[in-house]
């Protein structure tokens, strides 16, 4: 921060765009929060406008955070449309130019010092408008493979921020020259969990190994079914805290009720974990999870031993590729395809529970892939782009 004066940072105007899913929305939010904290050290505050679609997650999050929000019209072009989606592709193709015109008007009115894009189809109109208006555009990619929106914006971005070094070959030579690997922004509170508080919140034993299972906020039916198969044997060695999602809560509570009485106290199942998630992750000895970009960023930043069960298929098969990348580096275990069975999960869990050294090796390898300073690095790139612009 010493290279930037308070005068340079005063009145910094930024447009943020990106959303549609949490994978695009939350990295943007974390970067905004980190930027605000950085500027507050100099007595400055950024002037931020978030641009997205009215029904998108980004609109909800922006309003929750008290951030000015402007909705634009836009459309999504599906790369492999079904028959039903083909007509939507046609209608959306006519909506995109309208969104670009609205985005252009917004950029010309706000005259931002820099634009931050975190992906999703909503980011394309504002990104192109920034380029046309000759405003610095900083885009961030969360996954190993660039999504279609970011493939377009990488051609015109001032700076291309990547979460993974292995994403570099997916860029053109020209875009590679403007790329920097920052990592995927992780909320600061995720890095400051209290393991004692995490166990206490769910009445867990302080000295018994803890396996935390999560399929994300919505849960994952496949993961839940695999866990149901392994509980009677695995609970002989550990305790399990299971975030199963609202859809599967009744089913998993029935599974819990059928456990032998002496094991029931070792299994805690909830639909969703709210503010205690940082504490739970800090307390977990092993995590069983999907391999979405945000989850992987958190687990590697924290250095947690993990068994990853990627959601297949996803756009670009990103979850399986991410899990495979970490597994090849010894930074996680992966179960996918025919290997994603209850028997395989049981074997992986029992092996890790019996071998503390192996858990430690996984944790250290994961930590080497983690970038807990990703949000700070992204903010530095934003400020530098604004200053140069």
């Amino acid at each position: 921060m010493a290279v930037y004066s308070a005068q340079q940072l005063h009145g910094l105007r930024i447009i943020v765009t990106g959303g549609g899913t949490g994978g695009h929305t939350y990295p943007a939010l974390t970067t905004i929060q980190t930027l605000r904290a950085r500027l507050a050290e100099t007595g400055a505050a950024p002037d931020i406008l978030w641009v997205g679609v009215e029904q998108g997650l980004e609109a909800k999050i922006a309003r929750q955070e008290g951030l000015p929000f402007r909705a634009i019209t836009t459309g999504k072009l599906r790369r492999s449309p079904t028959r039903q989606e083909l007509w939507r592709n046609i209608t959306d193709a006519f909506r995109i130019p309208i969104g670009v015109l609205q985005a252009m008007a917004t950029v010309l009115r706000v005259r931002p010092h820099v634009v931050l894009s975190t992906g999703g189809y909503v980011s394309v109109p504002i990104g192109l408008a920034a380029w046309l208006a000759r405003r610095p555009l900083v885009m961030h990619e969360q996954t190993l493979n660039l999504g279609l929106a970011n493939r377009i914006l990488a051609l015109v971005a001032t700076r291309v921020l990547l979460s993974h070094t292995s994403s570099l070959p997916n860029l053109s030579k020209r875009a590679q020259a403007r790329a920097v690997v920052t990592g995927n922004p992780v909320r600061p509170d995720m890095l400051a969990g209290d393991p004692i508080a995490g166990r206490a919140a769910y009445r867990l034993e302080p000295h018994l190994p803890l396996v935390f299972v999560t399929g994300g906020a919505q849960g994952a039916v496949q993961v839940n079914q695999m866990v149901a198969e392994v509980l009677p044997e695995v609970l002989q060695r550990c305790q399990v805290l299971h975030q199963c999602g609202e859809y599967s809560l009744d089913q998993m509570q029935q599974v819990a009720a059928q456990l032998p009485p002496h094991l029931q106290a070792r299994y805690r199942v909830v639909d969703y974990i709210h503010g205690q998630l940082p504490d739970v992750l800090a307390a977990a000895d092993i995590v069983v999870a999907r391999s979405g970009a945000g989850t992987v960023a958190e687990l590697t930043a924290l250095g947690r031993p993990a068994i990853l069960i990627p959601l297949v298929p996803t756009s670009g098969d990103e979850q399986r590729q991410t899990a495979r990348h970490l597994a090849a580096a010894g930074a996680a275990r992966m179960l996918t395809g025919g290997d994603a069975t209850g028997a395989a999960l049981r074997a992986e869990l029992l092996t890790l529970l019996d071998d503390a050294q192996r858990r430690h090796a996984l944790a250290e390898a994961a930590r080497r892939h983690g970038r807990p300073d990703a949000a700070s690095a992204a903010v530095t790139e934003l400020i530098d782009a604004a200053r140069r612009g």
Side-chain angles (χ1 to χ4, degrees), residues 63-132:
R63 290 174 182 131
Q64 285 178 350
E65 295 294 318
L67 290 166
F69 182 84
R70 184 165 298 163
I72 63 172
T73 299
T74 189
K76 178 180 181 180
L77 294 182
R78 299 149 191 88
R79 283 176 283 183
S80 301
T82 63
R83 182 175 298 179
Q84 292 79 10
E85 291 174 334
L86 186 59
W87 176 248
R88 293 175 64 190
N89 259 9
I90 295 171
T91 57
D92 278 6
F94 288 97
R95 293 164 59 88
I96 291 172
I98 299 173
V100 172
L101 291 174
Q102 292 175 332
M104 192 69 192
T106 299
V107 170
L108 291 176
R109 187 180 304 116
V110 175
R111 300 186 66 193
H113 296 105
V114 65
V115 173
L116 170 66
S117 167
T118 57
Y121 64 91
V122 67
S123 66
V124 174
I126 285 289
L128 293 178
W131 173 62
L132 291 170

Side-chain angles (χ1 to χ4, degrees), residues 78-280:
R78 299 149 191 88
R79 283 176 283 183
S80 301
T82 63
R83 182 175 298 179
Q84 292 79 10
E85 291 174 334
L86 186 59
W87 176 248
R88 293 175 64 190
N89 259 9
I90 295 171
T91 57
D92 278 6
F94 288 97
R95 293 164 59 88
I96 291 172
I98 299 173
V100 172
L101 291 174
Q102 292 175 332
M104 192 69 192
T106 299
V107 170
L108 291 176
R109 187 180 304 116
V110 175
R111 300 186 66 193
H113 296 105
V114 65
V115 173
L116 170 66
S117 167
T118 57
Y121 64 91
V122 67
S123 66
V124 174
I126 285 289
L128 293 178
W131 173 62
L132 291 170
R134 297 190 175 184
R135 295 288 162 172
L137 170 64
V138 177
M139 56 150 280
H140 182 274
E141 175 59 55
Q142 296 85 47
T143 63
L144 279 168
N145 290 326
L146 274 70
L148 180 58
N150 276 349
R151 286 184 184 275
I152 295 170
L153 296 184
L155 300 173
V156 299
T158 308
R159 206 68 164 150
V160 178
L161 310 185
L162 301 174
S163 297
H164 307 278
T165 303
S166 52
S167 298
L168 282 167
N170 297 325
L171 297 172
S172 67
K173 293 295 183 183
R174 187 165 174 264
Q176 286 181 24
R178 293 178 271 112
V180 60
V181 180
T182 60
N184 195 10
V186 175
R187 303 193 325 258
D189 63 305
M190 295 302 299
L191 307 175
D194 180 348
I196 297 177
R199 289 176 179 250
Y202 293 95
R203 305 184 311 280
L204 298 165
E205 291 292 328
H207 304 299
L208 193 64
L210 171 62
V211 174
F212 174 49
V213 180
T214 174
Q218 302 301 317
V221 173
Q222 177 196 24
V223 175
N224 296 339
Q225 291 174 343
M226 292 168 65
V227 169
E229 291 181 38
V230 308
L231 282 175
E233 187 170 354
V234 167
L235 288 174
Q236 304 283 350
R237 316 275 188 91
C238 69
Q239 55 195 332
V240 174
L241 173 60
H242 185 183
Q243 177 179 270
C244 71
E246 182 180 4
Y247 177 81
S248 297
L249 182 59
D250 288 345
Q251 175 190 355
M252 295 311 300
Q253 286 177 334
Q254 292 175 17
V255 170
Q258 294 168 7
L259 289 169
H262 70 286
L263 296 181
Q264 289 182 9
R266 292 188 172 190
Y267 179 57
R268 298 278 186 266
V269 59
V270 296
D271 57 345
Y272 181 64
I273 292 176
H274 297 272
Q276 300 92 359
L277 183 58
D279 297 332
V280 167

